[in-house]
């Protein structure tokens, strides 16, 4: 059992959780994830690690509520426990001195992006940060990103704060020499930014979050196509070359279980109300 030692609401339906998990903390590197199960009957929920505090023996994740299990997690409080926390899983991000690193994050994935941006900063890179969200109230980790970025840009889908959408990046890429780009967030953001960097030949790493089950390369659920190769995001990634990923296939596979997910959500909400 893993205790929630800290919980904070960062934005609507978006919570930070700090779990006591000493054995995971000591092995964790930026870019890796855990798979969480709330109780014995719980679904397996992959979440990217947003921080690890070795002294306290805690890991941090930030979760946006989208369906049955993430809503259930959102209802837990400090002092509550989850049944399982498996990790760290996946390959760590490649962190070394590249020169100027552009770190682009959207929505809830800005939190784990910060973990990487901090590491790039500590490795001596110039870090240009870009954080985005649907609207101003959904922006997270702005202060934290400002501390580890040499410059930080903010964008929202509705223009309520900063630039409207990510199109301003075209001008930024024209004006600056960027040696590497990291993109974490919605598939559409990863696809768009990869197209922006392609003409400049900037190596672009995207952090893929397809549907996962075992997280260990055995079930095949997280299959993605990268160039002419089939890869499993849980063990071969989750970081891949954004110029090679088949984003259309990824988007289609993410929608594969939509009817079942909606049903599971309705059953849980109805069950929750009748209790
Ligand atoms: C490696 C990885 C890291 C992730 N990191 C984060 C994170 O840091 N913060 C965060 O809020 N979310 C993260 N996610 C997404 C999160 O795991 C899903 O939102 C969650 O599993 C949905 O479960 P649900 O029952 O609430 O919703 P459901 O109703 O089951 O699904 C809602 C949507 O989430 C996606 N999804 C469903 N099940 C899974 C699954 N097992 N694996 C991946 N996606 C799924 C589907 O596209 C679906 O449309 C990550 C996913 C992966 C694979
Ligand atoms: S989640 Fe099963 S192979 Fe990746």
């Amino acid at each position: 059992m893993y205790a929630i030692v800290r919980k904070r609401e960062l934005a609507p339906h978006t919570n930070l959780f700090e779990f006591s998990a000493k054995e995971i903390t000591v092995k964790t590197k930026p870019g890796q994830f855990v798979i969480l199960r709330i109780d014995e009957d719980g679904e397996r929920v992959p979440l990217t690690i947003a921080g690890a505090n070795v002294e306290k023996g805690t890991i941090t994740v930030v979760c946006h509520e989208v369906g049955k299990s993430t809503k259930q997690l959102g209802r837990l409080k400090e002092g509550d426990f989850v049944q399982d926390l498996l990790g760290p899983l996946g390959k760590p991000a490649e962190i070394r001195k590249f020169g100027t690193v552009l770190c682009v994050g959207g929505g809830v994935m800005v939190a784990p992006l910060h973990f990487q941006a901090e590491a790039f900063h500590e490795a001596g890179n110039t870090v240009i940060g870009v954080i985005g969200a649907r609207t101003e109230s959904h922006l997270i980790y702005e202060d934290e990103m400002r501390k580890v970025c040499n410059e930080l840009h903010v964008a929202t889908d509705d223009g309520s704060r900063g630039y409207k959408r990510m199109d301003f990046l075209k001008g930024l890429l024209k004006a600056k020499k960027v040696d590497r780009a990291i993109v974490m967030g919605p598939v559409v953001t990863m696809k768009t930014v990869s197209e922006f960097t392609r003409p400049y030949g900037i190596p672009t790493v995207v952090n893929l979050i397809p549907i996962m089950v075992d997280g260990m390369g055995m079930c095949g659920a997280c299959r993605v196509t990268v160039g002419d190769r089939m890869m499993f995001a849980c063990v071969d990634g989750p970081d891949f070359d954004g110029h090679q990923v088949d984003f259309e296939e990824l988007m289609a596979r993410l929608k594969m279980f939509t009817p079942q997910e909606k049903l599971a959500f309705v059953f849980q909400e109805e069950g929750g109300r009748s209790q």
Side-chain angles (χ1 to χ4, degrees):
M1 301 285 271
Y2 295 85
I4 298 170
V5 295
R6 193 163 77 99
K7 180 188 176 192
R8 291 284 175 277
E9 188 182 17
L10 302 184
H13 307 291
T14 304
N15 292 297
L16 175 150
F17 294 91
E18 207 176 314
F19 288 99
S20 178
K22 199 170 182 149
E23 73 285 5
I24 298 179
T25 309
V26 290
K27 293 185 220 143
T28 292
K29 299 227 164 50
Q32 294 184 290
F33 62 97
V34 287
I35 291 189
L36 173 154
R37 222 161 48 109
I38 294 172
D39 53 37
E40 270 180 20
D41 305 318
E43 288 176 337
R44 296 162 73 87
V45 182
L47 295 168
T48 310
I49 300 170
N53 187 324
V54 180
E55 274 166 32
K56 277 171 77 185
T58 59
I59 59 148
T60 300
V61 293
V62 177
C63 182
H64 181 57
E65 296 166 19
V66 293
K68 176 179 177 276
S69 301
T70 48
K71 292 242 181 245
Q72 211 182 335
L73 181 62
R75 289 190 196 114
L76 298 183
K77 303 180 289 297
E78 279 179 11
D80 286 343
F81 292 83
V82 295
Q83 178 80 28
D84 300 319
L85 209 51
L86 179 68
L89 300 169
K91 288 186 179 161
E94 188 185 351
I95 308 281
R96 58 184 170 87
K97 188 162 179 182
F98 291 102
T100 298
V101 180
L102 174 69
C103 291
V104 184
V108 71
M109 298 309 280
V110 172
L113 176 78
H114 168 262
F115 196 19
Q116 291 205 27
E118 187 179 43
F120 280 118
H121 178 72
E122 281 167 10
N125 294 283
T126 297
V127 181
I128 302 176
V130 176
I131 60 170
R134 238 183 305 155
T135 183
E136 181 172 20
S137 61
H138 286 83
L139 281 166
I140 62 166
Y141 266 64
E142 184 175 348
D143 292 342
E144 290 85 347
M145 282 295 283
R146 219 169 271 288
K147 282 185 196 142
V148 299
C149 294
N150 297 74
E151 58 183 90
L152 183 71
H153 304 272
V154 177
T156 46
D157 290 350
D158 63 359
S160 53
R161 177 78 200 287
Y163 294 101
K164 190 164 182 179
R165 306 208 184 92
M166 292 284 177
D167 287 350
F168 77 97
L169 269 174
K170 288 184 198 162
L172 189 146
L173 289 167
K174 206 182 256 183
K176 308 228 172 204
K177 184 183 168 292
V178 171
D179 299 295
R180 193 173 181 84
I182 315 297
V183 198
M184 297 179 80
V187 180
V188 66
T189 305
M190 293 191 277
K191 182 174 186 259
T192 304
V193 178
S194 298
E195 285 316 315
F196 289 168
T197 57
R198 193 192 293 276
Y200 299 96
I202 300 167
T204 299
V205 178
V206 293
N207 185 273
L208 301 187
I209 55 169
I211 289 181
M212 289 189 183
V213 181
D214 68 330
M216 290 179 185
M218 314 232 274
C219 68
C222 66
R223 175 169 67 76
V224 288
T225 304
V226 184
D228 55 3
R229 297 181 64 196
M230 189 193 79
M231 313 280 254
F232 291 157
C234 64
V235 286
D236 300 318
D239 281 352
F240 293 101
D241 178 353
H243 297 150
Q244 302 271 331
V245 169
D246 184 341
F247 287 109
E248 302 304 324
E249 181 194 61
L250 177 61
M251 282 192 252
R253 286 182 64 82
L254 276 168
K255 290 187 198 134
M256 242 174 10
F257 299 109
T258 304
Q260 291 91 331
E261 286 157 0
K262 281 194 180 144
L263 213 55
F265 179 63
V266 171
F267 278 140
Q268 170 170 286
E269 293 302 292
E270 292 301 318
R273 269 199 285 278
S274 63
Q275 275 165 16

